[in-house]
């Protein structure tokens, strides 16, 4: 499907000339500089089909191997009692990912590079090192998921992991953006395998509907429940998603004119990711209810066996296939987010439109992460369980910083111009950051001082954090109404692009922003360092 109307000059910062040109999506093409109006539903549908992809891939990619383990653990250990945690994550997902898609379409510059340019070398280096470390560990968990699925299906682990790694690298290294997107969207379609599993297990719909909208806490140790809730938040709202979607939108050559279509694509992805999470919690709860395995989660492989015992061998096979499919798309997306970020920061060619010989560094980073992760999973005695826990722990500790920079960038008029955040979005995102910081503190305390972090400590952190958050909001004037501003006309917004990085004025940070960033830096250095030291100590001890 092709849309072609008329042309106009493209403005903005371009770090790789391959990021400029026609949009070549999995289901259609929009020719370069197409600015014509979409006058009827057929034309709008063709445009949507050409744009669709980034939102679906980033969201379904988030339901990866780690998510399979986290959601089924919640179902196996606590039934459907924690389904309600998914509902408030819907607006969080949309707001976070909408901001990065807006940044990508308007600026044409990746997330890591913008942090470097607007906040300095410390935060820029921190964001890249943070992303590289977390992503490397996350890719290992993807191959752990592939190995677990292969083990259940009776496929030799070494052969299956090697073929999976080759497929992931082969799909990316063709030099054809459209070909990769079709591969990724085929994996997105594969995630729908969860639907027949849900039907075959047949969990109670009334109970699911109630627990999805009515919050409750299951019986059990509060610290264990809180850590699982934090894991649910961390696996649903992951830092790599921000870097991936912004860069992928840029690589797909989506401009401000098509932001509304990309928002629709994002909503499709959110619906799929939440539906998949609900399905996994629900059928795991139903499969293990009343059995000796209830409350005794081991890993996703154990869930496949439990599904087989409850609903037959086919159910277990479908779950193993869904796990492998999710791990494949997760490994591809997470590796790409790293390669994009490093290419952006070091100004090397970084586009799926380029052949391997034309972007050697970009593809070398991508392939290196895949090969090392696959090899580590196949290494006898590697502490795979510890690595999986390390991903969740570090992601929980470091997640608030990613959202802080996202909020600051989306209020930078030099960067986004008429596309800066509205007041309501700022208030909501500020509340999200406060919540993430509180959960991060609980997680850090639980990892460093597991014996001392009991119910009283957790409730104190929750209450004290909420009170401090409200005080900080009042002191910073978050609830004061600023002067009314008229929203620019769509015709202006649709053609506005960020100027070249060299033409941007210095970032203007308020005193309160500098204070909070200094406090955040201190917390991340201390807490992140202590948690990392704890993880290394456990690895050495084991």
């Amino acid at each position: 499907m092709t849309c072609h109307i008329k042309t106009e000059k493209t403005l903005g910062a371009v770090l790789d000339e391959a990021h400029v040109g026609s949009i070549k999506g999995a289901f259609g093409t929009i020719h370069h500089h197409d600015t014509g109006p979409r006058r009827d539903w057929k034309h709008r549908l063709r445009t949507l089909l050409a744009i669709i992809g980034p939102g679906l891939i980033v969201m379904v990619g988030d339901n990866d191997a780690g998510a399979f383990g986290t959601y089924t653990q919640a179902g196996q250990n606590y039934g459907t009692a924690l389904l309600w945690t998914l509902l408030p994550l819907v607006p969080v997902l949309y707001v976070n990912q909408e901001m990065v898609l807006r940044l990508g379409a308007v600026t044409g510059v990746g997330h890591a590079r913008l942090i470097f340019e607007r906040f300095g070398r410390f935060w820029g280096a921190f964001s890249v090192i943070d992303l590289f470390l977390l992503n490397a560990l996350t890719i290992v968990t993807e191959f752990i998921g592939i190995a677990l699925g292969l083990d259940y299906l009776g496929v030799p682990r070494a052969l299956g992991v090697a073929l999976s790694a080759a497929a992931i690298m082969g799909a990316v290294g063709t030099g054809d953006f459209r070909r990769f997107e079709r591969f990724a969207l085929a994996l997105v379609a594969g995630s729908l395998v969860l639907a027949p599993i849900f039907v075959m297990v047949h969990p109670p719909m009334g109970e699911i509907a109630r627990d999805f909208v009515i919050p409750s806490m299951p019986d059990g140790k509060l610290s264990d429940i809180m850590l699982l809730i934090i894991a649910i938040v961390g696996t649903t709202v992951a830092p790599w998603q921000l870097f991936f979607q912004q860069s992928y939108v840029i690589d797909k050559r989506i401009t401000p004119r098509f932001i509304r279509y990309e928002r629709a694509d994002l909503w499709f992805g959110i619906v799929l990711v939440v539906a998949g999470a609900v399905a996994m919690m629900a059928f795991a709860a139903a499969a293990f209810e009343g059995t000796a395995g209830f409350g005794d989660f081991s890993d996703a492989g154990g869930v496949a066996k439990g599904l087989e015992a409850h609903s037959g061998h086919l159910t277990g096979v479908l779950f193993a296939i869904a796990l492998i499919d999710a791990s494949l798309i997760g490994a591809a997306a997470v590796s790409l987010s790293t390669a994009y970020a490093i290419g952006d920061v070091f100004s090397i060619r970084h586009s799926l439109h380029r052949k391997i010989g034309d972007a050697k560094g970009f593809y070398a980073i991508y392939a290196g992460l895949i090969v090392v992760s696959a090899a580590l999973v196949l290494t006898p005695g590697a502490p795979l369980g510890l690595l999986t826990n390390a991903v969740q722990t570090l992601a929980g500790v470091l997640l608030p910083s990613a959202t802080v920079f996202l909020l600051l960038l989306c209020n930078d008029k030099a960067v986004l111009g008429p596309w800066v955040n509205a007041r309501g979005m700022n208030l909501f995102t500020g509340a999200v950051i406060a919540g993430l910081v509180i959960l991060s503190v609980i997680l850090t305390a639980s990892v460093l001082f597991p014996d001392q972090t009991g119910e009283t400590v957790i409730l104190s952190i929750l209450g004290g954090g909420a009170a401090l958050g409200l005080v900080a909001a009042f002191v910073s004037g978050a609830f004061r109404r600023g002067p009314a501003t008229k929203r620019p006309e769509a015709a202006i917004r649709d053609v506005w692009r960020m100027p070249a990085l060299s033409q941007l004025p210095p970032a203007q940070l308020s005193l309160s922003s500098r204070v909070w960033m200094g406090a955040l830096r201190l917390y991340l250095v201390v807490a992140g360092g202590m948690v990392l030291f704890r993880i290394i100590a456990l690895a050495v001890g084991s």
Side-chain angles (χ1 to χ4, degrees):
M1 295 184 182
T2 301
C3 301
H4 189 192
I5 300 181
K6 60 182 181 178
T7 65
E8 70 171 24
K9 186 178 180 181
T10 298
L11 302 175
V14 176
L15 297 180
D16 188 329
E17 60 188 15
H19 295 159
V20 178
S22 299
I23 296 173
K24 298 178 180 179
F27 305 122
T29 299
I30 301 174
H31 286 291
H32 188 30
H33 305 321
D34 179 352
T35 64
R38 274 56 185 161
R39 298 188 184 279
D40 55 58
W41 69 268
K42 290 182 180 178
H43 196 182
R44 288 191 289 270
L45 178 60
R46 289 199 299 270
T47 302
L48 177 61
L49 288 174
I51 295 295
I52 204 167
L56 278 170
I57 294 169
V58 73
M59 287 290 95
V60 176
D62 193 43
N63 262 2
D64 58 359
F68 266 61
T70 300
Y71 297 141
T72 54
Q73 179 183 0
Q76 181 175 342
N77 286 358
Y78 300 107
T80 57
L82 292 179
L83 275 175
W84 62 270
T85 59
L86 298 172
L87 189 57
L89 291 178
V90 172
V92 174
L93 281 171
Y94 177 76
V95 167
N96 274 9
Q97 297 306 129
E98 191 278 337
M99 285 193 284
V100 288
L101 77 85
R102 201 168 1 119
L103 280 169
V106 174
T107 69
V109 177
H111 203 64
R113 181 62 176 270
L114 281 179
I115 293 174
F116 256 107
E117 295 291 336
R118 305 307 284 167
F119 306 112
R121 292 181 179 179
F122 173 85
W123 287 117
F126 178 86
S127 68
V128 173
I129 294 170
D130 165 20
L131 182 75
F132 186 86
L133 179 61
L134 273 179
N135 284 5
L137 292 173
T138 301
I139 298 164
V140 173
T141 68
E142 309 299 1
F143 279 99
I144 293 172
I146 291 171
L148 290 172
L150 293 170
D151 289 346
Y152 179 84
L153 296 174
V155 178
R157 176 178 286 201
L159 175 63
V161 168
L163 290 176
S164 298
I168 297 168
M169 291 187 290
V172 166
T174 64
D176 188 326
F177 184 95
R178 174 174 286 159
R179 192 172 297 166
F180 168 77
E181 187 160 275
R182 286 175 174 169
F183 168 79
L185 290 179
L187 294 177
V188 169
S191 70
L192 298 177
V193 170
L194 293 172
I197 301 174
F198 184 87
V199 171
M200 286 187 282
V201 175
H202 196 60
M205 293 301 298
E207 183 178 309
I208 293 170
R210 182 198 68 213
D211 289 340
F212 186 64
V213 297
I214 301 176
S216 64
M217 293 296 280
D219 295 332
K221 189 178 178 182
L222 181 59
S223 59
D224 292 340
I225 296 169
M226 283 301 304
L227 288 177
L228 185 54
I229 290 175
I230 294 169
I232 291 171
V233 173
T235 197
T236 309
V237 187
W240 72 263
Q241 296 170 268
L242 309 179
F243 292 82
F244 172 81
Q245 188 170 12
Q246 185 165 333
S247 293
Y248 194 82
V249 163
I250 295 166
D251 204 9
K252 191 165 182 178
R253 303 162 174 172
I254 293 172
T255 59
R257 185 172 301 278
F258 303 108
I259 283 178
R260 61 182 66 89
Y261 293 96
E262 181 50 33
R263 286 169 174 161
D265 172 40
L266 175 59
W267 273 118
F268 294 149
I270 290 172
V271 170
L272 276 181
V273 75
V274 174
V278 169
M280 284 188 274
M281 275 197 207
F283 63 58
F288 286 93
E289 184 179 13
T291 70
F294 187 82
D296 190 24
F297 175 82
S298 56
D299 55 36
V303 173
K305 295 174 183 176
L307 289 169
E308 177 183 350
H310 182 274
S311 302
H313 182 62
L314 179 60
T315 313
V317 169
L318 290 177
F319 182 79
I321 293 172
L323 174 60
I324 294 171
D325 176 89
S327 301
L328 289 172
I329 189 172
V334 175
S335 300
L336 265 180
S337 75
T338 312
Y340 275 137
I342 294 176
D344 220 35
V345 168
F346 292 101
S347 297
I348 61 175
R349 293 172 177 175
H350 53 292
S351 173
L352 293 175
H353 294 283
R354 294 187 180 278
K355 300 289 186 182
I356 292 177
D358 200 26
K360 297 184 181 69
F362 172 69
Y363 288 111
I365 294 165
Y366 179 89
L369 286 168
I370 296 295
V371 170
V372 171
S373 299
L376 187 60
V377 169
L378 295 177
T379 301
L384 301 181
L386 185 63
L387 289 174
T388 302
N389 292 333
V391 170
Q392 294 181 342
T393 303
L394 285 174
V397 172
L398 300 172
L399 183 58
S401 66
T403 311
V404 167
F405 290 118
L406 180 57
L407 180 61
L408 292 172
L409 286 171
C410 285
N411 282 278
D412 191 335
K413 290 186 178 180
V415 170
L416 281 185
W419 289 96
V420 292
N421 278 1
R423 181 172 179 271
M425 182 167 284
N426 285 335
L427 288 174
F428 179 81
T429 309
V432 169
I433 291 171
L436 291 175
V437 169
I438 292 171
L439 293 178
S440 177
V441 172
I442 292 173
L443 177 61
T444 303
S446 300
V447 171
L448 297 177
F449 313 107
D451 296 330
Q452 290 76 32
T453 309
E455 181 173 339
T456 302
V457 172
I458 290 173
L459 292 175
S460 298
I461 294 173
L462 288 171
L468 285 174
L470 287 173
V471 170
F474 278 109
V475 170
S476 64
F479 298 117
R480 289 198 301 267
R481 284 192 174 275
T485 56
K486 184 179 179 180
R487 185 178 182 182
E489 295 181 1
I492 297 174
R493 284 159 57 89
D494 285 352
V495 298
W496 196 93
R497 302 298 301 275
M498 186 186 79
L501 292 171
S502 61
Q503 299 175 13
L504 291 180
Q508 300 295 322
L509 293 176
S510 64
L511 178 61
S512 60
S513 295
R514 294 180 184 278
V515 170
W516 289 117
M517 286 180 67
L520 178 64
R521 177 188 299 197
L522 179 62
Y523 169 72
L524 290 173
V525 170
V526 174
M530 292 176 69
V531 168
L532 191 59
F533 177 80
R534 173 76 171 169
I535 292 170
I536 293 173
L538 289 173
V540 173
S542 62

